[in-house]
Amino acid sequence: MDFAVRRHHLIEEAKAELDIAYEEVKRAEQEMMACEAEYFAKSRHLDGSADALQALMNEKETRQKRCGIAQLYELQRNAIQRFSEISSVFTIVHSAESPAAATDLIRQHLFRADEPCSLRREVKDAVGDFASSLWAYTLESSSVENDRKVREAWDLIEGVLKEVRGPRSRVSAS
């Protein structure tokens, strides 16, 4: 068994996606606050002109809509969910006594019993492949090949989750 420090690239990538989403939300929120401050400063010099105030309000709202804060909040929520899912399944694999036990626990964690029967075999296969691959990567060899298998299995799991729950937006770390 090699005792090298094993880097889990899938978690690192999910964390990078979360960091990017957080920074984009923070940037948009700061831009919206700047719009508010500018609106307040300009409105103080309008001497109560309703038309000018309405025009200024429209300009502020247009600028704030361009920030896309609602979409960014959704991307951030999805990044949080993805990071949480990946972290959870890694924790399950690392704490389980075998890949088979990890497979059962992951399936229970990610999928509800009432989800479509047509996907049960696909779910079992994808989760089993993931648990076995991560087990091998963590306990046997942190090889490029085992890392690739972990990624491919997780991609299958995410595909099944999308099929069951509908597509989710994702932030790209690239």
Side-chain angles (χ1 to χ4, degrees), residues 92-122:
I92 289 169
V93 169
H94 291 288
S95 64
E97 54 194 51
S98 69
T103 298
D104 291 339
L105 291 169
I106 291 169
R107 209 171 43 240
Q108 291 169 17
H109 177 70
L110 292 178
F111 299 95
R112 296 179 302 272
D114 64 340
E115 289 176 332
C117 294
S118 63
L119 296 175
R120 291 205 192 280
R121 185 71 187 155
E122 192 174 351

PDB file of all heavy atoms in Angstrom, residues 92-122:
ATOM      1  N   ILE A  92     -18.793   8.911   3.131  1.00  0.00           N
ATOM      2  CA  ILE A  92     -19.404   7.580   3.249  1.00  0.00           C
ATOM      3  C   ILE A  92     -18.399   6.506   2.866  1.00  0.00           C
ATOM      4  O   ILE A  92     -18.216   5.526   3.598  1.00  0.00           O
ATOM      5  CB  ILE A  92     -20.691   7.488   2.404  1.00  0.00           C
ATOM      6  CG1 ILE A  92     -21.802   8.329   3.045  1.00  0.00           C
ATOM      7  CG2 ILE A  92     -21.130   6.029   2.238  1.00  0.00           C
ATOM      8  CD1 ILE A  92     -23.025   8.523   2.162  1.00  0.00           C
ATOM      9  N   VAL A  93     -17.727   6.671   1.724  1.00  0.00           N
ATOM     10  CA  VAL A  93     -16.765   5.659   1.277  1.00  0.00           C
ATOM     11  C   VAL A  93     -15.635   5.526   2.301  1.00  0.00           C
ATOM     12  O   VAL A  93     -15.219   4.415   2.640  1.00  0.00           O
ATOM     13  CB  VAL A  93     -16.214   5.987  -0.123  1.00  0.00           C
ATOM     14  CG1 VAL A  93     -15.025   5.095  -0.471  1.00  0.00           C
ATOM     15  CG2 VAL A  93     -17.312   5.833  -1.172  1.00  0.00           C
ATOM     16  N   HIS A  94     -15.153   6.649   2.817  1.00  0.00           N
ATOM     17  CA  HIS A  94     -14.034   6.606   3.763  1.00  0.00           C
ATOM     18  C   HIS A  94     -14.421   6.018   5.111  1.00  0.00           C
ATOM     19  O   HIS A  94     -13.551   5.544   5.848  1.00  0.00           O
ATOM     20  CB  HIS A  94     -13.442   8.006   3.954  1.00  0.00           C
ATOM     21  CG  HIS A  94     -12.734   8.497   2.742  1.00  0.00           C
ATOM     22  ND1 HIS A  94     -11.532   7.997   2.320  1.00  0.00           N
ATOM     23  CD2 HIS A  94     -13.074   9.432   1.830  1.00  0.00           C
ATOM     24  CE1 HIS A  94     -11.148   8.605   1.216  1.00  0.00           C
ATOM     25  NE2 HIS A  94     -12.079   9.483   0.893  1.00  0.00           N
ATOM     26  N   SER A  95     -15.699   6.049   5.454  1.00  0.00           N
ATOM     27  CA  SER A  95     -16.113   5.531   6.756  1.00  0.00           C
ATOM     28  C   SER A  95     -16.752   4.141   6.675  1.00  0.00           C
ATOM     29  O   SER A  95     -16.956   3.513   7.711  1.00  0.00           O
ATOM     30  CB  SER A  95     -17.086   6.503   7.426  1.00  0.00           C
ATOM     31  OG  SER A  95     -18.268   6.614   6.663  1.00  0.00           O
ATOM     32  N   ALA A  96     -17.042   3.662   5.481  1.00  0.00           N
ATOM     33  CA  ALA A  96     -17.691   2.360   5.330  1.00  0.00           C
ATOM     34  C   ALA A  96     -16.669   1.234   5.503  1.00  0.00           C
ATOM     35  O   ALA A  96     -15.473   1.415   5.288  1.00  0.00           O
ATOM     36  CB  ALA A  96     -18.356   2.257   3.962  1.00  0.00           C
ATOM     37  N   GLU A  97     -17.179   0.080   5.869  1.00  0.00           N
ATOM     38  CA  GLU A  97     -16.280  -1.053   6.089  1.00  0.00           C
ATOM     39  C   GLU A  97     -15.937  -1.798   4.804  1.00  0.00           C
ATOM     40  O   GLU A  97     -14.996  -2.583   4.788  1.00  0.00           O
ATOM     41  CB  GLU A  97     -16.877  -2.008   7.126  1.00  0.00           C
ATOM     42  CG  GLU A  97     -18.287  -2.466   6.781  1.00  0.00           C
ATOM     43  CD  GLU A  97     -18.987  -3.126   7.947  1.00  0.00           C
ATOM     44  OE1 GLU A  97     -19.006  -2.532   9.035  1.00  0.00           O
ATOM     45  OE2 GLU A  97     -19.520  -4.234   7.745  1.00  0.00           O
ATOM     46  N   SER A  98     -16.683  -1.518   3.728  1.00  0.00           N
ATOM     47  CA  SER A  98     -16.394  -2.169   2.444  1.00  0.00           C
ATOM     48  C   SER A  98     -17.042  -1.361   1.322  1.00  0.00           C
ATOM     49  O   SER A  98     -17.954  -0.558   1.575  1.00  0.00           O
ATOM     50  CB  SER A  98     -16.967  -3.588   2.433  1.00  0.00           C
ATOM     51  OG  SER A  98     -18.395  -3.534   2.416  1.00  0.00           O
ATOM     52  N   PRO A  99     -16.598  -1.600   0.091  1.00  0.00           N
ATOM     53  CA  PRO A  99     -17.253  -0.910  -1.033  1.00  0.00           C
ATOM     54  C   PRO A  99     -18.746  -1.251  -1.137  1.00  0.00           C
ATOM     55  O   PRO A  99     -19.552  -0.395  -1.486  1.00  0.00           O
ATOM     56  CB  PRO A  99     -16.480  -1.409  -2.262  1.00  0.00           C
ATOM     57  CG  PRO A  99     -15.146  -1.810  -1.740  1.00  0.00           C
ATOM     58  CD  PRO A  99     -15.414  -2.341  -0.349  1.00  0.00           C
ATOM     59  N   ALA A 100     -19.101  -2.475  -0.805  1.00  0.00           N
ATOM     60  CA  ALA A 100     -20.519  -2.871  -0.870  1.00  0.00           C
ATOM     61  C   ALA A 100     -21.348  -2.089   0.153  1.00  0.00           C
ATOM     62  O   ALA A 100     -22.453  -1.623  -0.166  1.00  0.00           O
ATOM     63  CB  ALA A 100     -20.659  -4.377  -0.635  1.00  0.00           C
ATOM     64  N   ALA A 101     -20.819  -1.950   1.358  1.00  0.00           N
ATOM     65  CA  ALA A 101     -21.536  -1.172   2.382  1.00  0.00           C
ATOM     66  C   ALA A 101     -21.629   0.287   1.956  1.00  0.00           C
ATOM     67  O   ALA A 101     -22.675   0.927   2.115  1.00  0.00           O
ATOM     68  CB  ALA A 101     -20.823  -1.294   3.729  1.00  0.00           C
ATOM     69  N   ALA A 102     -20.549   0.811   1.386  1.00  0.00           N
ATOM     70  CA  ALA A 102     -20.557   2.198   0.910  1.00  0.00           C
ATOM     71  C   ALA A 102     -21.589   2.378  -0.195  1.00  0.00           C
ATOM     72  O   ALA A 102     -22.302   3.383  -0.228  1.00  0.00           O
ATOM     73  CB  ALA A 102     -19.169   2.594   0.407  1.00  0.00           C
ATOM     74  N   THR A 103     -21.683   1.399  -1.084  1.00  0.00           N
ATOM     75  CA  THR A 103     -22.654   1.470  -2.185  1.00  0.00           C
ATOM     76  C   THR A 103     -24.066   1.610  -1.642  1.00  0.00           C
ATOM     77  O   THR A 103     -24.826   2.476  -2.086  1.00  0.00           O
ATOM     78  CB  THR A 103     -22.541   0.215  -3.078  1.00  0.00           C
ATOM     79  OG1 THR A 103     -21.233   0.176  -3.646  1.00  0.00           O
ATOM     80  CG2 THR A 103     -23.577   0.218  -4.182  1.00  0.00           C
ATOM     81  N   ASP A 104     -24.428   0.787  -0.681  1.00  0.00           N
ATOM     82  CA  ASP A 104     -25.777   0.847  -0.101  1.00  0.00           C
ATOM     83  C   ASP A 104     -26.033   2.186   0.583  1.00  0.00           C
ATOM     84  O   ASP A 104     -27.096   2.788   0.408  1.00  0.00           O
ATOM     85  CB  ASP A 104     -25.982  -0.292   0.906  1.00  0.00           C
ATOM     86  CG  ASP A 104     -26.051  -1.652   0.243  1.00  0.00           C
ATOM     87  OD1 ASP A 104     -26.332  -1.719  -0.973  1.00  0.00           O
ATOM     88  OD2 ASP A 104     -25.799  -2.662   0.942  1.00  0.00           O
ATOM     89  N   LEU A 105     -25.050   2.655   1.341  1.00  0.00           N
ATOM     90  CA  LEU A 105     -25.217   3.924   2.053  1.00  0.00           C
ATOM     91  C   LEU A 105     -25.321   5.110   1.085  1.00  0.00           C
ATOM     92  O   LEU A 105     -26.138   6.013   1.285  1.00  0.00           O
ATOM     93  CB  LEU A 105     -24.058   4.137   3.029  1.00  0.00           C
ATOM     94  CG  LEU A 105     -24.025   3.201   4.224  1.00  0.00           C
ATOM     95  CD1 LEU A 105     -22.703   3.319   4.970  1.00  0.00           C
ATOM     96  CD2 LEU A 105     -25.202   3.462   5.147  1.00  0.00           C
ATOM     97  N   ILE A 106     -24.519   5.111   0.042  1.00  0.00           N
ATOM     98  CA  ILE A 106     -24.568   6.194  -0.948  1.00  0.00           C
ATOM     99  C   ILE A 106     -25.910   6.192  -1.670  1.00  0.00           C
ATOM    100  O   ILE A 106     -26.526   7.237  -1.869  1.00  0.00           O
ATOM    101  CB  ILE A 106     -23.409   6.087  -1.954  1.00  0.00           C
ATOM    102  CG1 ILE A 106     -22.081   6.388  -1.263  1.00  0.00           C
ATOM    103  CG2 ILE A 106     -23.621   7.033  -3.142  1.00  0.00           C
ATOM    104  CD1 ILE A 106     -20.852   6.055  -2.104  1.00  0.00           C
ATOM    105  N   ARG A 107     -26.362   5.024  -2.058  1.00  0.00           N
ATOM    106  CA  ARG A 107     -27.653   4.920  -2.757  1.00  0.00           C
ATOM    107  C   ARG A 107     -28.774   5.457  -1.870  1.00  0.00           C
ATOM    108  O   ARG A 107     -29.627   6.210  -2.327  1.00  0.00           O
ATOM    109  CB  ARG A 107     -27.901   3.472  -3.169  1.00  0.00           C
ATOM    110  CG  ARG A 107     -28.759   3.359  -4.404  1.00  0.00           C
ATOM    111  CD  ARG A 107     -28.865   1.969  -4.983  1.00  0.00           C
ATOM    112  NE  ARG A 107     -29.056   0.934  -3.996  1.00  0.00           N
ATOM    113  CZ  ARG A 107     -28.217  -0.086  -3.822  1.00  0.00           C
ATOM    114  NH1 ARG A 107     -27.147  -0.199  -4.545  1.00  0.00           N
ATOM    115  NH2 ARG A 107     -28.466  -1.004  -2.927  1.00  0.00           N
ATOM    116  N   GLN A 108     -28.756   5.117  -0.599  1.00  0.00           N
ATOM    117  CA  GLN A 108     -29.768   5.621   0.331  1.00  0.00           C
ATOM    118  C   GLN A 108     -29.652   7.133   0.518  1.00  0.00           C
ATOM    119  O   GLN A 108     -30.656   7.819   0.660  1.00  0.00           O
ATOM    120  CB  GLN A 108     -29.639   4.932   1.687  1.00  0.00           C
ATOM    121  CG  GLN A 108     -30.016   3.482   1.682  1.00  0.00           C
ATOM    122  CD  GLN A 108     -29.615   2.790   2.981  1.00  0.00           C
ATOM    123  OE1 GLN A 108     -29.344   3.438   3.986  1.00  0.00           O
ATOM    124  NE2 GLN A 108     -29.568   1.466   2.961  1.00  0.00           N
ATOM    125  N   HIS A 109     -28.434   7.635   0.525  1.00  0.00           N
ATOM    126  CA  HIS A 109     -28.195   9.059   0.734  1.00  0.00           C
ATOM    127  C   HIS A 109     -28.621   9.903  -0.463  1.00  0.00           C
ATOM    128  O   HIS A 109     -29.241  10.954  -0.297  1.00  0.00           O
ATOM    129  CB  HIS A 109     -26.706   9.286   1.041  1.00  0.00           C
ATOM    130  CG  HIS A 109     -26.337  10.717   1.196  1.00  0.00           C
ATOM    131  ND1 HIS A 109     -26.744  11.477   2.274  1.00  0.00           N
ATOM    132  CD2 HIS A 109     -25.619  11.543   0.404  1.00  0.00           C
ATOM    133  CE1 HIS A 109     -26.278  12.706   2.135  1.00  0.00           C
ATOM    134  NE2 HIS A 109     -25.593  12.776   1.012  1.00  0.00           N
ATOM    135  N   LEU A 110     -28.289   9.467  -1.667  1.00  0.00           N
ATOM    136  CA  LEU A 110     -28.531  10.285  -2.859  1.00  0.00           C
ATOM    137  C   LEU A 110     -29.898  10.073  -3.506  1.00  0.00           C
ATOM    138  O   LEU A 110     -30.420  10.983  -4.139  1.00  0.00           O
ATOM    139  CB  LEU A 110     -27.455  10.016  -3.919  1.00  0.00           C
ATOM    140  CG  LEU A 110     -26.039  10.472  -3.608  1.00  0.00           C
ATOM    141  CD1 LEU A 110     -25.105  10.078  -4.747  1.00  0.00           C
ATOM    142  CD2 LEU A 110     -25.992  11.972  -3.367  1.00  0.00           C
ATOM    143  N   PHE A 111     -30.446   8.882  -3.361  1.00  0.00           N
ATOM    144  CA  PHE A 111     -31.665   8.551  -4.095  1.00  0.00           C
ATOM    145  C   PHE A 111     -32.783   8.161  -3.136  1.00  0.00           C
ATOM    146  O   PHE A 111     -32.568   7.441  -2.172  1.00  0.00           O
ATOM    147  CB  PHE A 111     -31.399   7.409  -5.077  1.00  0.00           C
ATOM    148  CG  PHE A 111     -30.368   7.752  -6.098  1.00  0.00           C
ATOM    149  CD1 PHE A 111     -29.042   7.403  -5.917  1.00  0.00           C
ATOM    150  CD2 PHE A 111     -30.712   8.446  -7.256  1.00  0.00           C
ATOM    151  CE1 PHE A 111     -28.076   7.732  -6.860  1.00  0.00           C
ATOM    152  CE2 PHE A 111     -29.757   8.777  -8.200  1.00  0.00           C
ATOM    153  CZ  PHE A 111     -28.429   8.416  -7.995  1.00  0.00           C
ATOM    154  N   ARG A 112     -33.981   8.632  -3.464  1.00  0.00           N
ATOM    155  CA  ARG A 112     -35.156   8.300  -2.668  1.00  0.00           C
ATOM    156  C   ARG A 112     -35.755   6.975  -3.158  1.00  0.00           C
ATOM    157  O   ARG A 112     -35.638   6.622  -4.321  1.00  0.00           O
ATOM    158  CB  ARG A 112     -36.201   9.413  -2.787  1.00  0.00           C
ATOM    159  CG  ARG A 112     -35.724  10.747  -2.222  1.00  0.00           C
ATOM    160  CD  ARG A 112     -36.777  11.829  -2.372  1.00  0.00           C
ATOM    161  NE  ARG A 112     -37.170  12.048  -3.750  1.00  0.00           N
ATOM    162  CZ  ARG A 112     -36.565  12.887  -4.598  1.00  0.00           C
ATOM    163  NH1 ARG A 112     -35.522  13.580  -4.215  1.00  0.00           N
ATOM    164  NH2 ARG A 112     -37.000  13.028  -5.834  1.00  0.00           N
ATOM    165  N   ALA A 113     -36.410   6.298  -2.265  1.00  0.00           N
ATOM    166  CA  ALA A 113     -37.015   5.007  -2.609  1.00  0.00           C
ATOM    167  C   ALA A 113     -38.126   5.155  -3.639  1.00  0.00           C
ATOM    168  O   ALA A 113     -38.405   4.227  -4.392  1.00  0.00           O
ATOM    169  CB  ALA A 113     -37.561   4.332  -1.351  1.00  0.00           C
ATOM    170  N   ASP A 114     -38.752   6.334  -3.730  1.00  0.00           N
ATOM    171  CA  ASP A 114     -39.885   6.529  -4.634  1.00  0.00           C
ATOM    172  C   ASP A 114     -39.459   6.969  -6.034  1.00  0.00           C
ATOM    173  O   ASP A 114     -40.307   7.279  -6.868  1.00  0.00           O
ATOM    174  CB  ASP A 114     -40.868   7.534  -4.050  1.00  0.00           C
ATOM    175  CG  ASP A 114     -40.276   8.932  -3.899  1.00  0.00           C
ATOM    176  OD1 ASP A 114     -39.039   9.062  -3.890  1.00  0.00           O
ATOM    177  OD2 ASP A 114     -41.058   9.886  -3.778  1.00  0.00           O
ATOM    178  N   GLU A 115     -38.170   6.978  -6.324  1.00  0.00           N
ATOM    179  CA  GLU A 115     -37.727   7.404  -7.654  1.00  0.00           C
ATOM    180  C   GLU A 115     -37.994   6.301  -8.666  1.00  0.00           C
ATOM    181  O   GLU A 115     -38.140   5.134  -8.308  1.00  0.00           O
ATOM    182  CB  GLU A 115     -36.266   7.836  -7.599  1.00  0.00           C
ATOM    183  CG  GLU A 115     -36.170   9.156  -6.853  1.00  0.00           C
ATOM    184  CD  GLU A 115     -34.782   9.668  -6.620  1.00  0.00           C
ATOM    185  OE1 GLU A 115     -33.845   8.869  -6.526  1.00  0.00           O
ATOM    186  OE2 GLU A 115     -34.643  10.884  -6.513  1.00  0.00           O
ATOM    187  N   PRO A 116     -38.063   6.656  -9.937  1.00  0.00           N
ATOM    188  CA  PRO A 116     -38.494   5.722 -10.986  1.00  0.00           C
ATOM    189  C   PRO A 116     -37.779   4.374 -10.968  1.00  0.00           C
ATOM    190  O   PRO A 116     -36.550   4.312 -10.880  1.00  0.00           O
ATOM    191  CB  PRO A 116     -38.171   6.476 -12.280  1.00  0.00           C
ATOM    192  CG  PRO A 116     -38.111   7.909 -11.892  1.00  0.00           C
ATOM    193  CD  PRO A 116     -37.660   7.942 -10.460  1.00  0.00           C
ATOM    194  N   CYS A 117     -38.575   3.313 -11.045  1.00  0.00           N
ATOM    195  CA  CYS A 117     -38.037   1.951 -11.040  1.00  0.00           C
ATOM    196  C   CYS A 117     -37.126   1.690 -12.233  1.00  0.00           C
ATOM    197  O   CYS A 117     -36.203   0.892 -12.154  1.00  0.00           O
ATOM    198  CB  CYS A 117     -39.178   0.930 -11.042  1.00  0.00           C
ATOM    199  SG  CYS A 117     -40.159   0.948  -9.539  1.00  0.00           S
ATOM    200  N   SER A 118     -37.373   2.348 -13.353  1.00  0.00           N
ATOM    201  CA  SER A 118     -36.587   2.103 -14.556  1.00  0.00           C
ATOM    202  C   SER A 118     -35.119   2.465 -14.355  1.00  0.00           C
ATOM    203  O   SER A 118     -34.255   1.998 -15.089  1.00  0.00           O
ATOM    204  CB  SER A 118     -37.158   2.891 -15.735  1.00  0.00           C
ATOM    205  OG  SER A 118     -37.066   4.277 -15.475  1.00  0.00           O
ATOM    206  N   LEU A 119     -34.815   3.259 -13.345  1.00  0.00           N
ATOM    207  CA  LEU A 119     -33.440   3.674 -13.122  1.00  0.00           C
ATOM    208  C   LEU A 119     -32.745   2.885 -12.007  1.00  0.00           C
ATOM    209  O   LEU A 119     -31.565   3.096 -11.770  1.00  0.00           O
ATOM    210  CB  LEU A 119     -33.398   5.170 -12.779  1.00  0.00           C
ATOM    211  CG  LEU A 119     -33.871   6.098 -13.885  1.00  0.00           C
ATOM    212  CD1 LEU A 119     -33.906   7.535 -13.376  1.00  0.00           C
ATOM    213  CD2 LEU A 119     -32.959   6.000 -15.088  1.00  0.00           C
ATOM    214  N   ARG A 120     -33.438   1.994 -11.356  1.00  0.00           N
ATOM    215  CA  ARG A 120     -32.853   1.297 -10.207  1.00  0.00           C
ATOM    216  C   ARG A 120     -31.550   0.569 -10.562  1.00  0.00           C
ATOM    217  O   ARG A 120     -30.581   0.654  -9.833  1.00  0.00           O
ATOM    218  CB  ARG A 120     -33.846   0.326  -9.598  1.00  0.00           C
ATOM    219  CG  ARG A 120     -34.996   1.047  -8.929  1.00  0.00           C
ATOM    220  CD  ARG A 120     -35.610   0.195  -7.851  1.00  0.00           C
ATOM    221  NE  ARG A 120     -36.862   0.755  -7.417  1.00  0.00           N
ATOM    222  CZ  ARG A 120     -36.983   1.763  -6.566  1.00  0.00           C
ATOM    223  NH1 ARG A 120     -35.924   2.329  -6.085  1.00  0.00           N
ATOM    224  NH2 ARG A 120     -38.169   2.204  -6.215  1.00  0.00           N
ATOM    225  N   ARG A 121     -31.507  -0.140 -11.667  1.00  0.00           N
ATOM    226  CA  ARG A 121     -30.300  -0.883 -12.070  1.00  0.00           C
ATOM    227  C   ARG A 121     -29.174   0.088 -12.409  1.00  0.00           C
ATOM    228  O   ARG A 121     -28.026  -0.114 -12.019  1.00  0.00           O
ATOM    229  CB  ARG A 121     -30.612  -1.788 -13.268  1.00  0.00           C
ATOM    230  CG  ARG A 121     -29.469  -2.653 -13.660  1.00  0.00           C
ATOM    231  CD  ARG A 121     -29.305  -3.697 -12.578  1.00  0.00           C
ATOM    232  NE  ARG A 121     -28.115  -4.466 -12.797  1.00  0.00           N
ATOM    233  CZ  ARG A 121     -27.477  -5.075 -11.832  1.00  0.00           C
ATOM    234  NH1 ARG A 121     -27.932  -4.990 -10.607  1.00  0.00           N
ATOM    235  NH2 ARG A 121     -26.423  -5.776 -12.056  1.00  0.00           N
ATOM    236  N   GLU A 122     -29.518   1.143 -13.138  1.00  0.00           N
ATOM    237  CA  GLU A 122     -28.523   2.144 -13.511  1.00  0.00           C
ATOM    238  C   GLU A 122     -27.951   2.824 -12.267  1.00  0.00           C
ATOM    239  O   GLU A 122     -26.741   3.052 -12.174  1.00  0.00           O
ATOM    240  CB  GLU A 122     -29.171   3.182 -14.427  1.00  0.00           C
ATOM    241  CG  GLU A 122     -28.197   4.095 -15.100  1.00  0.00           C
ATOM    242  CD  GLU A 122     -28.876   5.010 -16.103  1.00  0.00           C
ATOM    243  OE1 GLU A 122     -30.071   4.830 -16.401  1.00  0.00           O
ATOM    244  OE2 GLU A 122     -28.188   5.926 -16.564  1.00  0.00           O
TER     245      GLU A 122
END
